[in-house]
Amino acid sequence: MRLALGIAFIGHGAQKVLGSFNGPGFAKFTSYPAPFPFMRPAWLWMSAAAFSELIGGVLVLLGLFTRLGAFLITCVMLVAIFGVLWPAFFAPTGMELAVAYLGIALALLIAGGGQASVDRMIAGRR
């Protein structure tokens, strides 16, 4: 689960931060309006979302501070589901994939990185 979620979010974050994989890039993504009216200034919240995806994906993939990475992804997915994708459930514009990502992130938030994680190696040395 960690590897799949990490790879997916590194890709999504790289699209938004670096413009990789035909993504909008940082300047364009941060110019989008924020999903909720209370999110002002919008560029700050959109920047936080972009970096949360990229950094959260790297942390989850490595299993380093897995719960922090999963928390960042959880926050982004909750905003995506309720602020952007609601109420459509099925693809192409629905929230079904975001709900799946949210479920994986919540599982990692609860369970941690598992046996093959940097978190586990660090804990083993104490």
Side-chain angles (χ1 to χ4, degrees):
M1 287 191 322
R2 227 185 61 234
L3 299 178
L5 188 69
I7 289 169
F9 274 88
I10 289 170
H12 284 288
Q15 284 182 309
K16 294 171 178 96
V17 174
L18 307 172
S20 305
F21 313 113
N22 297 318
F26 190 71
K28 186 172 182 181
F29 185 74
T30 57
S31 71
Y32 294 157
F36 294 109
F38 67 84
M39 294 179 151
R40 296 288 176 246
W43 66 267
L44 180 66
W45 290 94
M46 299 305 282
S47 299
F51 281 109
S52 291
E53 287 187 9
L54 183 60
I55 294 167
V58 170
L59 292 176
V60 164
L61 180 70
L62 295 175
L64 176 64
F65 304 116
T66 305
R67 288 186 169 102
L68 174 61
F71 176 75
L72 295 172
I73 292 170
T74 297
C75 292
V76 171
M77 288 299 93
L78 286 171
V79 171
I81 290 167
F82 293 109
V84 180
L85 303 170
W86 189 270
F89 187 77
F90 292 103
T93 59
M95 63 175 146
E96 63 181 316
L97 183 59
V99 169
Y101 286 153
L102 176 63
I104 296 170
L106 287 172
L108 291 173
L109 188 61
I110 294 166
Q115 296 288 347
S117 67
V118 176
D119 290 338
R120 180 71 169 194
M121 290 184 345
I122 292 170
R125 291 185 182 156
R126 286 191 232 156

